[in-house]
Amino acid sequence: MNMSLLSTEILTAVLACGLLILCLLSPNKEKHRGIGYATLFGLLAILVTTFFQYGINETTFHELWIHDDYSVFMKELFLVAAILVTLSSIDFVDTLPRFRSEYYSLIVFAALGMMVMASANDLVTIYVGMELMTITFFVLVAYVLGNGRSSEAGVKYLLLGAASSAVLLFGMSLLYGLTGTTVIPEMMAKLHWSPALVIAVVTLIAGFGFKISAVPFHMWSPDIYEGAPTPITGYLAVASKAAGFAVLVRVFIDGLPLQNGVDWLTVMSVLAGITMVIGNVVAIPQTNIKRMLAYSSVAQAGYLLVGLMSADAAGVKGILFYAMLYVVANMGAFAVAIVVAKELGTEEIPDYAGLAIRQPLLASVMTISLLSLAGIPPLAGFVGKLYLFSAIMDKGVLWPAFVGFVMSMVSVYYYLNVALYMWRDEPKDNRPIHVPGAIKFTVLFAMVATVFFGIYPGPLAEVATMAAKSLF
Amino acid sequence: MGFPLLTIALLAPIIGALVLVFIPKDEHKIVKAISAFVMAISLGLTLVAYFGYDFAKGGMQFTEDIVWVKELGVTYAMGVDGISLPMLLLTNLIGFSAVFASWNVEKRPKTFFILLLLLIAGVMGTFIARDLFIFFLFYEVVVIPLYIMVIIWGSSKRVTKEYAGMKLTIYLLIGSAFLLVGLIAIYLNAYPVGQRTFMIDKLAAASYSEPFQIFAFALLAVGFGSLLSMFPFHSWSPDGYAGAPTAVSMIHAGVLKKIGGYGLIRVGLLALPLGAKFWAPVIAFLAVCNVAYAAMIALAQKDLKYVIGYSSVSHMGYVLIGLAALNVIGINGAVANMFAHGVMSALFFSMIGYVYEKTHTRYIPDLGGLAHQMPRVAIGFMMAGMASLGLPGLVSFIPEFTIFVGSFAVYPTMAIIAIAGIIITALYTLRALANVLFGPRRPEFDHYPDAKGPEMVPLLVLGSVLVLGGIFPHLILDMVNSGVEPLVSAMMAKLGAAATIGGGF
Amino acid sequence: MNDFIFAAAFYGLAGMTILSAAGVVFLKDIVHSALMLALSFIGVAGLYVLLNADFLAAVQILVYGGAVAILIAFGVMLTRRRNMKESNPNNRWVIYASFVSAAFFAICGWALMGTDFKPVGQQVNPEAAVEGLASLLLGDYVVAFESAAVLLLVALVGAIILAKGAKEA
């Protein structure tokens, strides 16, 4: 038993509980800023420690817990997402009616759940980690108390999330029944084709597909993205999805054999194809920025699934690289949406008119983030797609690349629609928009990272390569 | 590696754009002065490179190599040879003129010039990159500034500027999606894992199977062809130019389009000669469609910009047929004609822009007798028009002639049809010019001044290149030939005995 | 154990579980549904007993049959609705849903029948089972165990935030 392999999770759990206690101790219940900054620095400190954890590839608790470069990379991704969400929340939390301070600790708890998922090497731990994340999100989604839409989204997420968990659990129990073990690498040798395995694979795909919002399990995302508080929508879109991918990749690549087993690659291909097409096509008519981003995030899940289709280190590296950039670009876009929602009180895209004149920084960040999502060079999204699609092309399969690149260009249509309103139109009133410091930092970070990793992807790509290799 | 001349030329507009970000938005004069200044630097450096190119040595010169992304095999590799130098020069000539053609932009000039400089830098980058990855990076960089410029400063006439901008962008991007698949396929097929590289010369040196070449060349032809407005992917071009502001039309028709031809030569012909050979007859046929069909449509146009838009589609047909000839003469002519057409169409668009800016109309029947009020502009129009119909003594005569010589040997029938296209070109150009410039003096235009001061710069710069290129054609052709000949001979060597092309035609 | 008694007990318990689960869905009064749910839980506990999982059966009765069912009853009481008729209505999707469920059930049934499940693990002495469970839970499975503890904490915090906050907001 090597507890040091759990250090990141222990630190995060301590931070989250500490923050809860801090909320109780703080004299003024609604003074939350201090706790917000404490969250920020706590997360940053944990992020720093993770950089020293690369290179340790070990398991403990009889292989139930694995600490490899892959999990470290994923944990860093969750931490980056949590940090950006916290930063963009600090001013948003002012608008919450009550329990402002507790909000931050829930963000950390959700991150803890994701970390457990990333490092879990057996189905039970994965499930508990996933439930920790999901239940935290139920609360966070419904956090705007007294707002019907937020509560509605919370209840919807609760019901659908519970249903998807049940489906997932059913698949997991079948796997246990077939192999007598819940440890993922041990399942590999014991599984061979049987009708029950087919059911298990299908239900697993359905359960994970819900988390990553792949078509046809994506129905929940637009409603819930729209109703949830905007920073939480961002968190849900980036971190929850990345966590879903973290376990999806580990379970399928390490645990489910392709020879003599079920050909899940074909299922993934079909899923990837329809997800890319439907996500992008349905995003076109959206007029609400959060719904548009919801469908765009469905489409992004399709691109990421292409990385899983190649089922090799190159593909997984593509997933890791792309997921990281996706976090940055999406958080940039959501941060802008947060400010606009707070200052202009709207989430409708036509109301973004004249943003380029009123607040050029926000308009630039929004444009750059969306274009990175569309995969336009020299922004980071392009390099990510290059990795994803060249991995599958290297296997001699061309159609995902065609579908992916053409659909990316289709996505430019609705992304540029936002740019159209922001850049072309005159604003309705000329008051400059105040951008709070924390948000300014978030958007600048998102912009710089998106441009930097697009022009010079080397460092991040190397880390992603190392992380992906640890899985094979 | 000595003085990084190309990098500085490339960075000048980018740094200029960054500086502009920090200039207060009401300082219009400073914004314009800085833009002109950085473009002057780029143009100056380009001229140094152009006249400092060592013919004796040949090949890529002024090279810079920095390993960029090691695991992908991306190198920040810059360099110019006889094919890219004329294109680079063209970019900077037009970029420099475009800044002055936009001198009267009063609506949000700061944003305008930032985007314009980024656009120019993007185009420049594609011509000097020796690495396919960097090439593609710059190639798509141009799309977004282009779109934003069209929707803010464009004009809605027959189609709205939003429609024009989106059509332009989507055509370009969908084309680039096919292109990208083709480029990645070449990259993956060239070398095994570990030795992969995006360097264009190394990719050209690798050997590919014939079916792969045919497949990849088709993707490239669609991608680059849609940028070059190859029939039937041309319909964005007239609409796009009509909706775009003057500077964007100048750059787009002048140089951006030429990236298509340039890429087709640099990557398509040199890396995939068998594919090129397979598709050459098809391209030649489409080229003739371009020439004839677009010229016919241009005849029927009433909007000046549409006339020039279709004429540029038609002229690209000549470039394509020169390429499809797959011999040194034809390709020489194609490259030289890209240069010639670039100068000519940019001058045309800048003159139209000037007239439109003053009179707010481009509708030919509404205009007339402008030579009375605007003699200088009329001279510009005439020069561009004469160059367009290939008058000897102006820049485009020799290239077009070369193309015909090169292609006649291979596709006699199609070359004759294409030559016949010149007659239609003459018809619509002369008619448009006559209707706009000549005829009785119209008093309603009396209060419009002629071009003066900075407004004269495009006319002077591009006009003098038109004349110089016509009188001293060797200035361009020698350069082009020094680039084309060694590369095409290498390609011919690859094709080996099977060098006769498209026997059926 | 006698095979016949085993089979009879299994089908009896399974039938009870399924029928009462159906009752949860179809009964119109939510209080009745809650009672049916408790009955269904108890049926599952019986199945556990048949599988020699005594401890699990006890937990099932204590936690699900007892605590969860009572919590639901409390929840129903706290809504302060006088008339419990039509408190658990169906909606118009019921026909489609029953088709989908039937199809899913049929496919699963077919798949499970067609699969040869081999007995896994070894028989353990019932007295030692609890001990083994304890050492597993606090040994190898400690991460899952502790995560579940954190999960409960979050659920508590969340319940307070949502319930109390909504009242005050």
Side-chain angles (χ1 to χ4, degrees):
Chain A
M1 200 195 307
N2 184 353
M3 287 306 243
S4 69
L5 300 184
L6 279 159
S7 55
T8 315
E9 287 72 21
I10 294 175
L11 283 174
T12 313
V14 168
L15 174 68
C17 296
L19 287 169
L20 263 187
I21 295 170
L22 212 60
C23 300
L24 293 176
L25 295 182
S26 73
N28 187 337
K29 286 279 177 266
E30 301 308 335
K31 280 271 187 233
H32 61 86
R33 276 177 190 269
I35 292 174
Y37 289 118
T39 314
L40 203 60
F41 290 117
L43 288 171
L44 267 177
I46 297 173
L47 181 63
V48 171
T49 65
T50 58
F51 283 103
F52 300 99
Q53 298 187 1
Y54 280 112
I56 306 172
N57 291 297
E58 284 178 41
T59 59
T60 186
F61 300 121
H62 295 106
E63 287 198 47
L64 260 61
W65 183 260
I66 185 164
H67 182 289
D68 53 5
D69 294 340
Y70 174 77
S71 65
V72 175
F73 187 92
M74 275 298 173
K75 285 174 203 171
E76 283 178 354
L77 186 148
F78 305 144
L79 284 167
V80 169
I83 288 171
L84 292 178
V85 170
T86 311
L87 265 175
S88 38
S89 293
I90 285 179
D91 287 276
F92 169 81
V93 171
D94 286 337
T95 60
L96 291 175
R98 269 221 63 190
F99 296 110
R100 293 177 184 167
S101 321
E102 284 80 358
Y103 175 91
Y104 298 106
S105 69
L106 287 180
I107 289 179
V108 183
F109 275 123
L112 177 63
M114 298 169 200
M115 289 176 180
V116 172
M117 289 162 76
S119 252
N121 207 24
D122 89 314
L123 297 175
V124 177
T125 317
I126 285 181
Y127 181 74
V128 177
M130 189 178 270
E131 284 305 287
L132 174 54
M133 173 185 89
T134 314
I135 286 179
T136 318
F137 270 120
F138 297 154
V139 183
L140 284 172
V141 166
Y143 216 99
V144 192
L145 305 164
N147 176 328
R149 298 174 69 82
S150 173
S151 307
E152 181 195 328
V155 171
K156 270 187 186 164
Y157 192 45
L158 174 75
L159 292 175
L160 295 171
S164 86
S165 294
V167 171
L168 184 67
L169 204 52
F170 184 63
M172 288 178 169
S173 65
L174 278 178
L175 284 183
Y176 177 66
L178 288 166
T179 60
T181 177
T182 57
V183 182
I184 295 167
E186 284 178 15
M187 295 192 313
M188 183 67 121
K190 293 184 180 169
L191 284 173
H192 42 81
W193 195 90
S194 66
L197 181 60
V198 178
I199 301 283
V201 169
V202 170
T203 46
L204 280 186
I205 289 179
F208 290 133
F210 176 85
K211 287 282 175 287
I212 63 172
S213 61
V215 176
F217 314 109
H218 68 290
M219 304 290 189
W220 59 278
S221 59
D223 285 355
I224 285 154
Y225 280 26
E226 192 187 351
T230 314
I232 298 307
T233 309
Y235 202 22
L236 205 57
V238 299
S240 165
K241 188 177 297 235
F245 266 101
V247 284
L248 182 69
V249 169
R250 197 187 286 285
V251 169
F252 277 78
I253 295 220
D254 274 0
L256 297 176
L258 279 167
Q259 266 96 35
N260 307 322
V262 173
D263 181 18
W264 50 264
L265 274 189
T266 313
V267 187
M268 288 293 171
S269 321
V270 174
L271 224 57
I274 56 173
T275 306
M276 286 190 283
V277 173
I278 293 189
N280 279 316
V281 170
V282 183
I284 292 175
Q286 304 303 325
T287 57
N288 179 296
I289 187 101
K290 280 158 87 178
R291 284 186 88 84
M292 188 275 275
L293 285 171
Y295 281 111
S296 115
S297 91
V298 170
Q300 307 290 332
Y303 304 138
L304 285 164
L305 277 176
V306 173
L308 190 56
M309 273 173 69
S310 48
D312 59 3
V316 173
K317 169 214 172 171
I319 294 182
L320 294 177
F321 187 90
Y322 196 81
M324 189 61 105
L325 302 170
Y326 169 72
V327 168
V328 176
N330 237 7
M331 283 315 300
F334 276 109
V336 175
I338 291 169
V339 184
V340 172
K342 193 169 178 232
E343 296 283 322
L344 306 181
T346 176
E347 286 169 2
E348 293 299 308
I349 294 172
D351 293 331
Y352 279 64
L355 195 66
I357 296 174
R358 290 181 74 176
Q359 186 43 266
L361 174 69
L362 291 186
S364 308
V365 172
M366 187 62 131
T367 312
I368 286 178
S369 297
L370 292 180
L371 291 175
S372 175
L373 291 178
I376 299 289
L379 304 170
F382 168 69
V383 190
K385 278 185 186 155
L386 188 73
Y387 283 134
L388 284 173
F389 292 119
S390 62
I392 189 74
M393 280 175 74
D394 216 3
K395 296 254 158 182
V397 186
L398 278 178
W399 69 264
F402 276 112
V403 176
F405 283 126
V406 170
M407 288 325 287
S408 315
M409 297 314 158
V410 169
S411 73
V412 173
Y413 181 82
Y414 58 84
Y415 289 134
L416 278 187
N417 193 32
V418 184
L420 177 75
Y421 286 109
M422 290 192 304
W423 291 91
R424 178 196 59 183
D425 295 350
E426 297 290 324
K428 282 171 193 149
D429 63 314
N430 261 317
R431 282 179 299 111
I433 295 174
H434 170 67
V435 184
I439 296 261
K440 199 175 260 173
F441 180 83
T442 315
V443 294
L444 279 175
F445 173 80
M447 180 163 77
V448 170
T450 305
V451 175
F452 177 80
F453 287 123
I455 295 174
Y456 194 66
L460 182 58
E462 272 166 32
V463 179
T465 310
M466 184 175 72
K469 278 195 182 133
S470 73
L471 209 58
F472 289 91
Chain B
M1 190 169 68
F3 179 68
L5 184 134
L6 294 175
T7 300
I8 295 179
L10 175 67
L11 283 182
I14 296 178
I15 292 172
L18 279 179
V19 171
L20 288 188
V21 171
F22 298 101
I23 305 279
K25 63 179 171 197
D26 297 323
E27 300 285 354
H28 295 187
K29 280 277 169 266
I30 297 179
V31 166
K32 288 164 187 169
I34 290 177
S35 309
F37 175 68
V38 293
M39 281 320 298
I41 294 178
S42 288
L43 181 59
L45 288 172
T46 308
L47 286 171
V48 169
Y50 197 89
F51 292 104
Y53 184 81
D54 185 353
F55 284 96
K57 221 166 90 195
M60 286 288 176
Q61 295 185 11
F62 306 100
T63 54
E64 299 163 29
D65 288 273
I66 301 169
V67 175
W68 200 249
V69 188
K70 201 164 175 212
E71 49 150 6
L72 273 179
V74 177
T75 322
Y76 174 81
M78 296 290 158
V80 281
D81 66 356
I83 305 177
S84 38
L85 258 180
M87 293 294 120
L88 179 65
L89 180 64
L90 181 66
T91 312
N92 281 297
L93 284 172
I94 295 178
F96 184 71
S97 314
V99 169
F100 288 96
S102 319
W103 207 257
N104 296 332
V105 169
E106 295 300 330
K107 181 183 176 192
R108 292 158 73 183
K110 178 177 154 181
T111 320
F112 183 89
F113 281 97
I114 290 175
L115 293 171
L116 182 63
L117 290 179
L118 289 178
L119 177 62
I120 295 169
V123 180
M124 215 189 306
T126 51
F127 289 127
I128 58 177
R130 277 160 51 228
D131 184 287
L132 205 51
F133 184 88
I134 308 277
F135 169 86
F136 193 80
L137 219 67
F138 282 114
Y139 168 70
E140 285 207 3
V141 165
V142 303
V143 174
I144 300 313
L146 207 65
Y147 174 74
I148 298 180
M149 287 172 84
V150 173
I151 57 163
I152 301 182
W153 295 277
S155 51
S156 301
K157 291 280 163 183
R158 195 162 88 186
V159 293
T160 63
K161 57 187 179 183
E162 289 80 8
Y163 172 82
M166 193 50 92
K167 190 165 178 181
L168 197 74
T169 313
I170 293 292
Y171 260 80
L172 235 154
L173 287 178
I174 299 275
S176 80
F178 286 95
L179 176 62
L180 188 54
V181 177
L183 296 185
I184 297 176
I186 294 175
Y187 163 74
L188 294 174
N189 258 280
Y191 297 101
V193 185
Q195 302 167 27
R196 282 186 180 151
T197 172
F198 273 107
M199 288 295 285
I200 296 176
D201 50 351
K202 290 199 184 126
L203 290 176
S207 55
Y208 310 91
S209 71
E210 185 169 357
F212 174 77
Q213 292 204 20
I214 291 172
F215 163 75
F217 192 86
L219 291 177
L220 259 54
V222 171
F224 285 129
S226 57
L227 183 61
L228 196 69
S229 64
M230 179 172 77
F231 182 84
F233 309 113
H234 66 282
S235 79
W236 57 269
S237 162
D239 283 342
Y241 295 159
T246 306
V248 170
S249 304
M250 285 171 70
I251 290 174
H252 205 301
V255 273
L256 220 165
K257 232 179 185 180
K258 273 62 178 188
I259 297 175
Y262 175 78
L264 220 45
I265 297 176
R266 186 64 92 205
V267 189
L269 298 191
L270 299 182
L272 309 166
L274 290 173
K277 194 186 132 203
F278 182 87
W279 290 107
V282 178
I283 292 182
F285 174 73
L286 294 177
V288 173
C289 291
N290 260 36
V291 172
Y293 171 79
M296 299 289 232
I297 297 183
L299 264 180
Q301 297 306 313
K302 294 269 190 288
D303 183 323
L304 260 180
K305 269 197 163 178
Y306 273 97
V307 174
I308 306 307
Y310 278 108
S311 115
S312 96
V313 175
S314 167
H315 275 92
M316 286 305 108
Y318 298 128
V319 173
L320 279 171
I321 200 168
L323 286 182
L326 292 187
N327 54 29
V328 177
I329 304 176
I331 296 173
N332 267 342
V335 176
N337 198 28
M338 289 202 284
F339 181 84
H341 174 260
V343 178
M344 178 264 285
S345 62
L347 181 58
F348 239 134
F349 276 118
S350 77
M351 291 300 115
I352 297 174
Y354 183 80
V355 169
Y356 178 67
E357 184 186 296
K358 301 296 174 206
T359 64
H360 300 287
T361 179
R362 299 187 310 238
Y363 192 59
I364 297 175
D366 286 354
L367 295 163
L370 281 179
H372 295 285
Q373 292 92 353
M374 305 180 179
R376 295 173 191 158
V377 174
I379 292 174
F381 264 118
M382 286 308 291
M383 283 168 72
M386 292 303 128
S388 170
L389 50 88
L391 191 76
L394 291 174
V395 71
S396 42
F397 170 68
I398 301 281
E400 284 186 10
F401 186 73
T402 319
I403 287 177
F404 293 134
V405 172
S407 58
F408 193 79
V410 191
Y411 314 106
T413 329
M414 294 206 231
I416 290 170
I417 303 176
I419 295 173
I422 287 198
I423 302 169
I424 317 177
T425 311
L427 210 60
Y428 66 74
T429 316
L430 291 177
R431 204 176 62 171
L433 290 182
N435 284 337
V436 172
L437 300 177
F438 305 117
R441 184 187 191 99
R442 294 226 196 155
E444 68 261 37
F445 297 130
D446 274 351
H447 61 280
Y448 297 127
D450 198 0
K452 60 180 180 301
E455 297 158 354
M456 286 291 287
V457 173
L459 174 55
L460 286 177
V461 172
L462 298 172
S464 49
V465 174
L466 271 185
V467 175
L468 278 177
I471 303 174
F472 308 108
H474 63 271
L475 276 182
I476 296 158
L477 278 176
D478 282 358
M479 176 65 81
V480 171
N481 191 45
S482 81
V484 170
E485 192 158 23
L487 295 176
V488 172
S489 349
M491 182 187 97
M492 289 302 186
K494 265 195 190 174
L495 281 174
T500 41
I501 302 149
F505 289 83
Chain C
M1 196 186 285
N2 187 316
D3 277 354
F4 174 73
I5 299 176
F6 184 89
F10 172 78
Y11 285 111
L13 287 168
M16 176 176 121
T17 310
I18 290 177
L19 285 178
S20 47
V24 176
V25 179
F26 290 110
L27 289 180
K28 300 274 183 231
D29 184 329
I30 201 160
V31 180
H32 298 170
S33 286
L35 293 176
M36 280 296 178
L37 190 61
L39 198 60
S40 179
F41 287 149
I42 290 168
V44 173
L47 291 176
Y48 287 152
V49 173
L50 285 185
L51 293 170
N52 279 342
D54 307 1
F55 177 72
L56 209 52
V59 171
Q60 173 79 10
I61 290 180
L62 274 177
V63 175
Y64 286 90
V68 171
I70 287 181
L71 267 182
I72 293 174
F74 264 123
V76 173
M77 274 165 61
L78 288 173
T79 54
R80 283 187 286 182
R81 180 169 161 168
R82 288 276 167 77
N83 187 354
M84 281 298 157
K85 273 184 188 147
E86 295 297 317
S87 54
N88 186 19
N90 286 320
N91 67 14
R92 64 199 163 89
W93 296 100
V94 67
I95 296 171
Y96 306 103
S98 48
F99 273 118
V100 172
S101 320
F104 184 68
F105 183 78
I107 293 171
C108 285
W110 165 78
L112 298 183
M113 300 291 271
T115 304
D116 180 25
F117 285 95
K118 293 186 189 67
V120 288
Q122 66 277 29
Q123 285 290 330
V124 280
N125 179 5
E127 277 94 65
V130 180
E131 201 185 317
L133 264 180
S135 64
L136 266 184
L137 272 184
L138 294 175
D140 287 348
Y141 283 90
V142 72
V143 180
F145 184 78
E146 294 297 337
S147 304
V150 176
L151 195 159
L152 287 179
L153 174 67
V154 171
L156 279 176
V157 172
I160 294 171
I161 290 170
L162 295 185
K164 197 164 172 235
K167 197 175 156 197
E168 291 176 11

